[in-house]
Amino acid sequence: RVLRAYSQLDHEVGYCQGMNYIVAMFLTFLSEEEAFWLMVVVMNEQPFTLRQLFLEDMSGTHEMLYIAEKLMKQFFPKLSKHLHREEVRPSMFVTQWLMTLYTSSFPLDVVSRVWDSFLVEGYKVIYRTMLGLIKHAEGTLLHLSFEHILYHLSSFPGKVDGQTIMQEALKIGLKTKHIQKHANDWQRSARTC
């Protein structure tokens, strides 16, 4: 009912797959009415504006994946080169993580920690968590081939400990200016297309 109500409010977005995971997580902690209003806020207000992820052109998703790939290259150059050699694009495994802000495949302890921080910090924690997850898996991924990388990353979410991931994520020197630089680069390239 929350998603039906939201789709009536925002006809441009309506309902898009992935939104259900976010609302389901809200309903774990909130009443239907509170979940609806929180959805309205995170979809439409800064620093969240999740609706950009769910628009028909998915412009926000494309930007988010661009930034994610650039951050992986910046913070994990060796792993990025290995993934490139194995023809594994970050979009092959981080799309679901990022589009649903980890609600679709990670344990509740990870999801609740990410969302607690997201509601205060915005997207920085989303990228920081991704980098923490990659850091946690890096040692294993460097020794795997294409199909084993994808298998490992598909089974990985259920095996992580929220506290460990968040501690590792906080050790990564991610700054808002890193994210903003890549976002600016994306927006410049999008304007020229």
Side-chain angles (χ1 to χ4, degrees), residues 21-47:
Y21 293 107
I22 295 168
V23 169
M25 189 270 301
F26 291 169
L27 290 170
T28 303
F29 300 102
L30 304 169
S31 70
E32 279 188 353
E33 183 176 351
E34 291 167 329
F36 169 77
W37 287 113
L38 183 55
M39 188 66 170
V40 170
V41 168
V42 299
M43 288 292 282
N44 296 288
E45 294 184 19
Q46 292 290 343

Side-chain angles (χ1 to χ4, degrees), residues 51-168:
R51 77 186 304 276
Q52 300 302 316
L53 301 176
F54 300 108
L55 289 171
E56 189 174 334
D57 67 358
M58 298 182 77
S59 57
T61 301
H62 294 295
E63 179 178 350
M64 182 180 261
L65 292 173
Y66 176 87
I67 293 168
E69 187 168 343
K70 295 298 183 184
L71 291 173
M72 281 184 61
K73 284 180 184 176
Q74 179 180 347
F75 287 95
F76 302 104
K78 186 176 178 181
L79 178 60
S80 291
K81 287 177 187 169
H82 176 67
L83 293 176
H84 181 75
R85 274 192 307 275
E86 292 297 323
E87 299 184 13
V88 175
R89 304 254 338 183
S91 62
M92 297 167 90
F93 58 93
V94 301
T95 302
Q96 187 177 21
W97 299 359
L98 300 178
M99 250 190 105
T100 65
L101 306 174
Y102 304 99
T103 58
S104 67
S105 46
F106 285 88
L108 190 58
D109 76 314
V110 174
V111 173
S112 59
R113 289 170 193 269
V114 169
W115 273 84
D116 280 349
S117 298
F118 176 66
L119 292 173
V120 174
E121 291 184 60
Y123 280 99
K124 183 177 179 183
V125 73
I126 302 304
Y127 294 114
R128 184 183 295 282
T129 302
M130 178 202 72
L131 294 172
L133 289 162
I134 298 302
K135 180 179 181 181
H136 192 71
E138 181 180 29
T140 302
L141 295 175
L142 284 169
H143 302 288
L144 299 176
S145 62
F146 176 84
E147 58 276 347
H148 294 105
I149 291 169
L150 294 179
Y151 176 77
H152 180 75
L153 289 168
S154 69
S155 62
F156 178 66
K159 300 175 185 173
V160 299
D161 173 66
Q163 184 172 350
T164 302
I165 293 302
M166 295 311 278
Q167 286 173 346
E168 286 187 20

